[in-house]
Amino acid sequence: MSSPGRRLGFGLAINEAFHQVMEEDPSVVLIGQGVKSPWYVGNTCNGLVARFGERRVYDTPVSENAVTGAAVGAALAGLRPVVVHPRMDFMLYAFDPIINEAANWRYMSGGAAHVPVVFWGIINRAGEQAAQHSQALHSVFAHVPGLKVVAPSTPRDAKGLMVAAIRDDDPVVFVDERWLYGGEEEVPTEVYGTPIGKAAIRREGTDVTLVAFSYLAPKALEAAAVLAKEGISAEVIDLRTLKPLDAATVVKSVSKTGRAVVCDVGWRTGGIGGEIAAQITEACWAGLKAAPVRVALPDLPAPASRSLEAAYYPGAAQVVAAAREVVARGRG
Amino acid sequence: MEGTDRTTLLLNLYRTMLRIRLVEERFVEPILSGEVKCPVHLYTGQEAVAAGVCAALEDGDYVFGSHRSHGHYLAKGGDLAKMVAEIYCKATGCARGRGGSMHVIAPSAGMMGAAPIVAGTISLAVGAAYAASVRGDGRVSVSFFGDGATGEGVLYESLNLAAVLKLPAIFVCENNLYSTHLPILECRPSEEVYKIAEPFGIAARRVDGNDALAVYEAASSAVSRCRAGQGPVFLEALTYRWRGHVGPDDNIQGAHTDIRSPEEIERWRKRDPIGRLRALLLRDGAAGEAELASLDERIAAEVEAAASAARAADFPATKELADHVFSRP
Ligand SMILES: Cc1ncc(C[n+]2csc(CCOP(=O)(O)OP(=O)(O)O)c2C)c(N)n1
Ligand SMILES: [Mg+2]
C-alpha cells in the first residue's frame, strides 16, 4: 500500500525502517547511546521506545566496548541487533568486538556461527567540533575482511539500506552523516531493502565519471550541473555500498567516459578512494584517457576553527576542479 | 590551618571559582548568538571541585581533563585570555584555534590537556603518574572525569594499573548525577561512585563537591598520600551542573533534552559553591564586603578584556591548515 509522492527526510526514513523491521521481526533490537533522546540521534528513533519498549530499544550507559560486544553476543544468540554510535569517533572504543570478533567470527568458526548485527556509526562533523568529534572511519571498516560497509546519501537509500543491513546475516557497518539529515525526497511507504553491493547511477554523462558516496554524492551532482554549463558531461555514480564494492558499475561507466574523479569523504591516504582509483586503473587501463583523480580530505586531523574547516572539507567546487583537471589532462 | 594561611587559602579558592564562573557565564550570550560555535560544556556550579583540587597541587603536578574542563584549566593556572580565545577558535588561543572548548591545554602550567572522548584521558593521567614514579620526582597526576565515565572499561583498567604500580595518581570523579540526558541510576546500579575504587585497595571517599574547602582538604590529604608513595586515591565530588549538558540550556538550544526538573536545578543553585565560600569569608572576617566587591570587579574586568581580545583576534590563517601535525612538516 505504497502512497505515491510521500516525502521523508533522511532521519525519518531511517526511523521508518526501524518501525517496520522491528514490527515484522521480534528479534530486532536497537541499542546504544541516545536512542531515547533526540539530542544524539535526531528523529531517527522517534516513537520506538513507546512502541517496542525499553528492553528492545535500550538507551545504554557510556560503554561502547561492552555495548557493542553485547550486540555481537546477542546476534550469536539469535537476535538481530542494531547498535548505534551517535558519533563515529566513539566507535573506536568498540573496535575489538567489531573487528576482532564480529568480522572474523563466521570465518574462524568455519561457518559454524555467524553474526547478524548492524554497527551504525554517524559521522558528525564541522561546527568547530575538532579532531575527536569529526572523524569518518568508513575506510578502516572497509579494510577489514568480514565486514560489509554501506554509506547511503539519500533518504530512500537510508531506509532501504538499513532494512537490508538488518536482514543481512553478516555484520554490516552502516555509516551515515549528519550533513545528510537535511535531505528529503519521496520514500516508498512499504518496507523494502536496497541491495547491498549495488551502486546507483544518479546522472548519465559521457566525458567523465564522478564516483562518490555519502555527503559527496549530492556534491558530485551539484558539480555535474556546473560542469554541464561548461560543456563537460559528467556521469555521477553514488556507490551506496563501499564493501562489497560495485566495481562492475564503476568500470562500465569509466570504460565509457575514459576519465574518473573519485570522491572520498575521509582522509586521502589509505582511504577507500584510493582503492577505487586502483580498481579503475587495473580494469580500465587501456581505455583511460587520463589517470583517475581523487577528491578527499587532507591527511590532517579535523581542525576546530571555522576558517580551517572551510579549507579542510571538500565540496562541489573541489569536485568541479578535479573534473576539469582530469578532462584537461586527457590524452584523447 | 590557622589565621593568615587560612585567609589566603579561602581568598584563593574564592578568586579561582569566581574567575571560572564569570568566564563561563560570559560565554552564554555569544553561544546563543552563534558567535561562539564550538560545543561548550559549561562548568557553572561545579567550580569548587576544580578550585579545591588544584589548590592542593604544585605547579609541577599534572592535570588531565574531559569535555568540561575550562575550570580545570583555569584552576591549574592556565592563561585565561588564551582559553577564551581558544573557545572563540582564534589563532591566539591556547591550542591556536585547532582544538576549541573541548581541548584546552596549558602544559607549562601542568594542565596536560582535555578531550571529549568520555574517559579518554584517565589512562593518560595514570601514564603521567607512571612517568613521575619512573623519575621519582614526587609529582602527582590528577584525572578529572564525570560520573558518566564510570561506564567505560578503561576507568577500571586504569584503577587497577595505578593500584598495582602504587602510582601517585588521584582520580577525581565529578558526580553531577547526569550523563547527558541520563540520570545516574539509569547508567549504574548505585549513586555512590567512590566505592568502585575499593576493590582495588585504593583509598576512596566522597566529598561535598560544592564545598571548596572540603574538596581542598580531601585533595590535600590525597596529595600527601601520593607524595609519600602510598599509592593512588579516588575522590568522588558530589556536585551539579547548573546549565545544559552542552551550551547554556539544552531546552533552548536542543529539542528539550534536559530532563532535570526546574525544582531540582533550583535546589542545587541554592547550594552555590561560590555563595557558600563568600559567606564563609565574611563570617570568618577573612574579607569584607568592600574587598570582595573590588575583587569581583577586577575579575569581571579581566574577563571582559579577554572576551574583547578574543573577538578582535584573527582566525587561524588557511595557509597554516597543515601545521602542527608533526614536529616537522
Ligand atoms: C566515548 C564517548 N562516548 C560518548 C560520548 C558522548 N558524551 C559526551 S559527554 C557524555 C557524558 C558525560 O557525562 P559525565 O561523564 O557524567 O560528564 P558531565 O557531562 O556530566 O560533566 C557523553 C556520553 C563521548 N563524548 N565519548
Ligand atoms: Mg555527569
Side-chain angles (χ1 to χ4, degrees):
Chain A
M1 15 140 241
S2 191
S3 74
R6 195 278 310 254
R7 294 170 69 80
L8 276 187
F10 199 94
L12 285 180
I14 292 176
N15 182 244
E16 189 165 85
F18 291 139
H19 275 283
Q20 293 177 339
V21 178
M22 293 187 76
E23 184 62 43
E24 76 180 14
D25 183 351
S27 71
V28 177
V29 298
L30 171 63
I31 65 175
Q33 281 163 55
V35 297
K36 65 179 189 192
S37 172
W39 183 68
Y40 277 102
V41 291
N43 51 13
T44 56
C45 299
N46 283 2
L48 294 172
V49 173
R51 182 162 173 192
F52 301 108
E54 296 219 15
R55 234 340 98 163
R56 281 181 74 193
V57 183
Y58 173 44
D59 199 331
T60 65
V62 201
S63 310
E64 289 82 1
N65 184 316
V67 167
T68 308
V72 173
L76 287 169
L79 296 188
R80 288 188 175 272
V82 178
V83 53
V84 58
H85 294 278
R87 203 182 266 290
M88 193 169 245
D89 315 71
F90 307 158
M91 279 173 103
L92 288 163
Y93 272 138
F95 263 32
D96 178 70
I98 298 174
I99 295 178
N100 269 326
E101 318 300 348
N104 290 328
W105 207 267
R106 183 191 282 273
Y107 188 83
M108 69 193 184
S109 68
H114 64 280
V115 191
V117 63
V118 180
F119 304 114
W120 173 23
I122 305 176
I123 303 167
N124 182 349
R125 51 187 164 185
E128 300 192 329
Q129 298 183 96
Q132 297 181 340
H133 274 38
S134 301
Q135 295 166 106
L137 303 169
H138 53 282
S139 292
V140 179
F141 296 118
H143 182 61
V144 176
L147 294 178
K148 297 177 184 177
V149 182
V150 299
S153 77
T154 67
R156 186 192 291 248
D157 284 346
K159 177 178 171 184
L161 282 169
M162 184 57 85
V163 170
I166 295 170
R167 288 176 176 168
D168 201 282
D169 281 336
D170 290 307
V172 178
V173 182
F174 182 102
V175 178
D176 62 2
E177 168 113 49
R178 280 279 185 103
W179 277 345
L180 295 165
Y181 277 53
E184 193 192 281
E185 67 177 349
E186 190 178 331
V187 174
T189 50
E190 70 270 15
V191 60
Y192 61 93
T194 299
I196 293 175
K198 197 83 201 77
I201 296 172
R202 300 288 187 208
R203 176 181 175 128
E204 296 197 4
T206 52
D207 295 330
V208 58
T209 302
L210 310 179
V211 184
F213 59 94
S214 196
Y215 92 85
L216 282 174
K219 297 294 174 196
L221 276 172
E222 276 176 45
V226 173
L227 292 164
K229 293 202 195 104
E230 301 174 9
I232 298 172
S233 164
E235 180 143 305
V236 178
I237 296 179
D238 180 352
L239 287 173
R240 308 194 290 185
T241 297
L242 305 183
K243 195 174 191 177
L245 196 65
D246 184 0
T249 297
V250 174
V251 165
K252 189 163 169 229
S253 172
V254 179
S255 299
K256 175 176 74 175
T257 61
R259 300 179 180 95
V261 172
V262 182
C263 308
D264 190 342
V265 301
W267 298 298
R268 187 179 178 86
T269 297
I272 189 77
E275 171 62 28
I276 296 163
Q279 292 202 26
I280 289 171
T281 308
E282 285 168 355
C284 308
W285 175 248
L288 278 183
K289 296 172 184 157
V293 171
R294 278 177 289 166
V295 172
L297 271 59
D299 288 321
L300 309 167
S305 185
R306 59 197 79 171
S307 62
L308 300 178
E309 279 185 338
Y312 182 73
Y313 293 110
Q318 282 72 17
V319 182
V320 168
R324 283 185 193 136
E325 186 188 329
V326 80
V327 168
R329 262 209 230 149
R331 57 188 178 197
Chain B
M1 199 187 317
E2 296 297 319
T4 51
D5 273 2
R6 183 178 156 95
T7 300
T8 310
L9 171 68
L10 293 184
L11 274 170
N12 269 338
L13 290 171
Y14 180 78
R15 182 183 302 111
T16 303
M17 289 201 288
L18 197 63
R19 284 176 94 227
I20 298 169
R21 171 72 55 89
L22 295 189
V23 170
E24 295 299 67
E25 294 301 305
R26 182 63 183 76
F27 284 120
V28 169
E29 186 270 322
I31 292 169
L32 293 176
S33 75
E35 192 185 359
V36 164
K37 223 165 73 171
C38 68
V40 175
H41 303 81
L42 296 171
Y43 196 62
T44 305
Q46 302 185 199
E47 297 90 347
V49 185
V53 170
C54 292
L57 301 176
E58 301 292 334
D59 289 348
D61 292 328
Y62 301 121
V63 158
F64 289 80
S66 64
H67 56 291
R68 196 180 304 284
S69 272
H70 301 171
H72 310 140
Y73 169 102
L74 289 174
K76 191 64 178 65
D79 183 271
L80 185 149
K82 285 186 177 172
M83 185 186 87
V84 174
E86 188 57 39
I87 294 159
Y88 276 82
C89 291
K90 296 298 181 75
T92 50
C94 60
R96 297 189 171 97
R98 278 20 176 227
S101 161
M102 303 191 291
H103 297 286
V104 291
I105 184 164
S108 61
M111 172 60 191
M112 305 303 283
I117 295 301
V118 167
T121 65
I122 298 174
S123 54
L124 277 54
V126 168
Y130 171 66
S133 82
V134 168
R135 289 189 303 253
D137 61 14
R139 295 179 206 233
V140 307
S141 178
V142 175
S143 169
F144 285 106
F145 53 92
D147 49 293
T150 62
E152 299 284 13
V154 67
L155 170 57
Y156 305 86
E157 298 181 27
S158 299
L159 290 172
N160 186 56
L161 199 57
V164 167
L165 289 172
K166 280 202 160 206
L167 295 178
I170 303 175
F171 298 87
V172 180
C173 179
E174 298 187 58
N175 182 0
N176 61 13
L177 303 169
Y178 289 85
S179 169
T180 63
H181 64 299
L182 290 184
I184 185 164
L185 288 179
E186 286 190 40
C187 299
R188 51 195 325 281
S190 147
E191 276 191 19
E192 289 173 310
V193 170
Y194 70 95
K195 291 188 173 162
I196 65 172
E198 289 173 349
F200 299 96
I202 294 176
R205 58 176 288 209
R206 180 185 257 193
V207 291
D208 178 349
N210 282 24
D211 179 342
L213 195 54
V215 174
Y216 168 80
E217 280 162 1
S220 290
S221 79
V223 168
S224 306
R225 266 188 83 98
C226 281
R227 294 214 209 281
Q230 291 171 304
V233 177
F234 190 102
L235 297 178
E236 172 189 356
L238 188 64
T239 184
Y240 200 78
R241 69 170 154 75
W242 286 13
R243 293 198 168 272
H245 168 70
V246 57
D249 184 341
D250 296 330
N251 289 344
I252 296 180
Q253 297 170 286
H256 281 269
T257 51
D258 194 341
I259 47 125
R260 306 175 308 166
S261 73
E263 296 74 36
E264 181 180 295
I265 298 173
E266 201 38 50
R267 252 197 330 277
W268 278 92
R269 278 178 174 267
K270 292 213 176 87
R271 305 175 60 185
D272 178 10
I274 297 179
R276 283 167 74 179
L277 192 64
R278 194 185 176 98
L280 185 64
L281 279 162
L282 293 170
R283 196 202 69 198
D284 270 21
E289 288 280 6
E291 191 185 337
L292 291 182
S294 98
L295 181 58
D296 296 359
E297 256 171 55
R298 264 179 289 141
I299 294 173
E302 182 193 12
V303 169
E304 206 42 51
S308 303
R311 297 184 66 192
D314 290 329
F315 286 109
T318 304
K319 66 176 184 342
E320 291 168 4
L321 174 66
D323 292 357
H324 312 299
V325 181
F326 295 115
S327 58
R328 267 182 286 265

